[in-house]
Amino acid sequence: MIDWSDLRFVLETVRQGGLSSAARVLGVNHATVSRRINSAEAAAGALLFDRLPGGYRPTQAGLEAARAAEAMEEASATLGLAIGSRDQTLKGPLSFTAPQLLIERILAPLLPEFIAQHPDIELTILAANEALNLARREADVAIRISRSPAPTLHGSQVAEQRSAIYVSHEYAGTLAADPQRPLDWIRFAHWTDVPYEVRAAWPDIREALILDDMSAAVATVRAGIGATRMPCFLGDPDPELTRLPGLVTFDYPGIWVLTHRDLRSVKRIETFMRFMASRLRQLRPVFTGEAVP
């Protein structure tokens, strides 16, 4: 029989579409993934992947092995949730995930109080802009920027958000000195166009840069390359940035504190969620742009 630990490597290679991506997800090197796949194939007596110039492509047997591994993974996760939900102690491990900039600007300053109150809870922070899977216990709690979290999650929206258009102080001065100057726009790759309100106020706009990361957006605006939209909790407190004058704020996804519904009664998870929800609600003016320094 194929060892379950080998099947995990088969499953991730199918999921990720290749050895290198699977190795990154599993936290091992390329050679380890290859060796574990070879071990699974030897036990199965069949090729699970075709070795092609473009990489590993799963055979029919490989797809069946991946489906079996996925079912085992789901069963293991279900068992873990069932056992974990019985834990009513205020000690032990607790992991939470949140976007990197939300941790840096908002969440990190809140943690010393919680750690002082609950020294027996072992916190792990998973700074990730992608959504980790709470059903697979990739994290116990997620603090997410979202419009509609998955229905399998339990929690609440703790703050609405607004966004605004920000520029550096130097760039704002350049625009003020030359009102006819085109507005240099920093665009996110997934944005199709400049917001209508920006075009109405600045008809002459030229695209200065395209990027795919909010940290990069903050850095390029600070560097005076141009203007872009970002949530108010990032732009307003930043001493190097200012709002582009003459524009209103924009709608932006809210802040949610979430866990898997099967873990909502775990004492340390419930305590952490209640703490975070309370502190983040107190910061609502920061998220809505009403606490401009």
Side-chain angles (χ1 to χ4, degrees):
M1 294 182 62
I2 305 175
D3 191 293
W4 156 240
S5 60
D6 289 339
L7 272 179
R8 288 180 59 239
F9 290 81
V10 174
L11 175 59
E12 284 304 331
T13 302
V14 172
R15 274 180 178 162
Q16 306 302 325
L19 265 66
S20 297
S21 297
R24 187 164 51 252
V25 169
L26 293 165
V28 298
N29 60 38
H30 182 284
T32 298
V33 179
S34 178
R35 178 171 54 80
R36 300 299 286 270
I37 288 175
N38 291 340
S39 174
E41 288 179 330
L47 275 180
L48 303 180
F49 294 90
D50 288 324
R51 278 69 165 173
L52 303 175
Y56 277 38
R57 184 175 68 188
T59 63
Q60 189 58 42
L63 293 174
E64 290 174 6
R67 282 193 289 270
E70 196 163 38
M72 294 168 70
E73 181 185 66
E74 290 175 2
S76 176
T78 300
L79 177 61
L81 289 171
I83 294 173
S85 65
R86 298 170 183 262
D87 189 348
Q88 294 302 308
T89 61
L90 274 175
K91 63 181 180 180
L94 188 154
S95 61
F96 80 91
T97 179
Q100 296 172 354
L101 284 173
L102 188 62
I103 293 170
E104 177 190 336
R105 302 293 183 88
I106 300 293
L107 302 179
L110 303 177
L111 294 177
E113 181 186 359
F114 181 83
I115 292 170
Q117 291 177 3
H118 305 285
D120 293 329
I121 295 179
E122 304 157 17
L123 273 182
T124 297
I125 302 174
L126 303 170
N129 293 325
E130 69 276 7
L132 300 186
N133 191 320
L134 301 193
R136 294 205 298 261
R137 296 299 296 274
E138 292 178 350
D140 296 313
V141 175
I143 301 175
R144 287 186 180 160
I145 297 174
S146 176
R147 295 193 189 278
S148 55
T152 56
L153 301 181
H154 166 80
S156 61
Q157 179 175 300
V158 295
E160 296 180 346
Q161 282 206 95
R162 304 291 293 176
S163 64
I165 310 300
Y166 293 93
V167 294
S168 69
H169 292 287
E170 181 181 357
Y171 189 77
T174 300
L175 292 174
D178 183 5
Q180 303 305 312
R181 176 190 174 94
L183 178 68
D184 294 300
W185 184 249
I186 299 169
R187 179 171 70 83
F188 279 80
H190 59 275
W191 289 354
T192 56
D193 201 3
V194 179
Y196 167 79
E197 294 86 348
V198 179
R199 284 204 177 275
W202 299 86
D204 191 3
I205 295 178
R206 59 190 179 193
E207 193 171 275
L209 190 67
I210 301 173
L211 40 71
D212 66 351
D213 177 78
M214 189 61 76
S215 295
V218 173
T220 53
V221 174
R222 282 176 174 172
I225 292 174
T228 199
R229 181 172 57 180
M230 65 183 71
C232 292
F233 84 83
L234 284 181
D236 286 342
D238 194 315
E240 298 184 46
L241 304 183
T242 185
R243 291 187 190 180
L244 192 63
L247 292 172
V248 297
T249 58
F250 301 83
D251 183 36
Y252 202 79
I255 305 289
W256 294 72
V257 178
L258 302 160
T259 189
H260 191 275
R261 61 190 177 196
D262 292 343
L263 296 176
R264 63 186 183 272
S265 60
V266 176
K267 192 67 175 177
R268 63 180 178 275
I269 292 176
E270 178 190 12
T271 301
F272 180 75
M273 291 179 67
R274 188 168 59 247
F275 173 87
M276 276 297 173
S278 170
R279 298 304 181 273
L280 292 173
R281 287 190 180 104
Q282 294 172 11
L283 293 173
R284 279 174 173 167
V286 175
F287 293 115
T288 58
E290 300 168 287
V292 180

